[in-house]
Amino acid sequence: MNDMDRKLLNLAIDRARRSRAEGNHPFGALLADARGNALLDAGNTVPVEGDCTGHAETNLARLASKAYDREFLRTCTLYTSAEPCAMCSGAIYWSGIGRVVYALSEAALKALTGDDPGNPTLDLPCREVFARGQRIVEVEGPVDVPGAEDVHEGFWRPG
């Protein structure tokens, strides 16, 4: 982690805020090249589009795989406001993205959302999903970033 990583992670959290303001779940993701240039971003689209696979990281992996070849994506980093779930980890893996940096852990997210049916969190760290693959995906996180929890405040109905 360096200052560039923190700056880009903050941009992913800003994207999560926009996602929430757009009527979606408060998650955001950003793709950057090896020099730290922001290339793409995506928010969650589950409520607005009615697609249960519309998580920010899956949306971003879909955009990235259409825009760039796998060789280039291996040099890129996906920054995300929360640890990728098992589905998103699979999408990241298949897209070829080489590195993931996240703020909130899946466990911390589960503590925030409780048993809210809008986020039936899987207790499966992304590192475990990536470890089952045939290529390495570097992972850094959780990273303590101001605002990462705040974007969720008052959104979920923990049980």
Side-chain angles (χ1 to χ4, degrees):
M1 283 293 297
N2 57 38
D3 289 341
M4 178 185 68
D5 287 325
R6 288 193 177 280
K7 176 185 161 217
L8 292 164
L9 195 51
N10 275 307
L11 291 175
I13 293 165
D14 288 344
R15 184 61 183 95
R17 282 187 193 92
R18 279 197 348 252
S19 182
R20 182 176 178 169
E22 293 163 353
N24 288 298
H25 296 165
F27 299 100
L30 176 134
L31 184 74
D33 67 15
R35 293 186 299 192
N37 297 307
L39 304 173
L40 300 167
D41 70 64
N44 179 288
T45 56
V46 172
V48 169
E49 293 185 7
D51 177 358
C52 65
T53 67
H55 293 194
E57 301 90 344
T58 297
N59 288 338
L60 186 63
R62 191 176 299 117
L63 290 170
S65 66
K66 289 178 182 178
Y68 304 105
D69 65 44
R70 291 175 59 97
E71 186 76 19
F72 176 72
L73 289 174
R74 281 187 182 91
T75 68
C76 293
T77 300
L78 185 149
Y79 295 88
T80 180
S81 60
E83 183 173 5
C85 71
M87 176 186 69
C88 291
S89 296
I92 292 164
Y93 177 82
W94 287 110
S95 74
I97 293 168
R99 180 172 176 246
V100 172
V101 177
Y102 67 88
L104 288 178
S105 70
E106 190 79 348
L109 180 62
K110 186 176 179 182
L112 288 171
T113 63
D115 65 359
D116 188 307
N119 192 50
T121 303
L122 289 169
D123 191 8
L124 181 60
C126 67
R127 283 177 174 88
E128 290 185 34
V129 176
F130 295 139
R132 304 296 177 130
Q134 294 179 326
R135 69 174 186 85
I136 294 171
V137 178
E138 183 183 341
V139 179
E140 294 197 43
V143 178
D144 186 20
V145 180
E149 286 189 18
D150 299 345
V151 72
H152 295 273
E153 191 172 307
F155 187 86
W156 307 103
R157 298 180 312 267

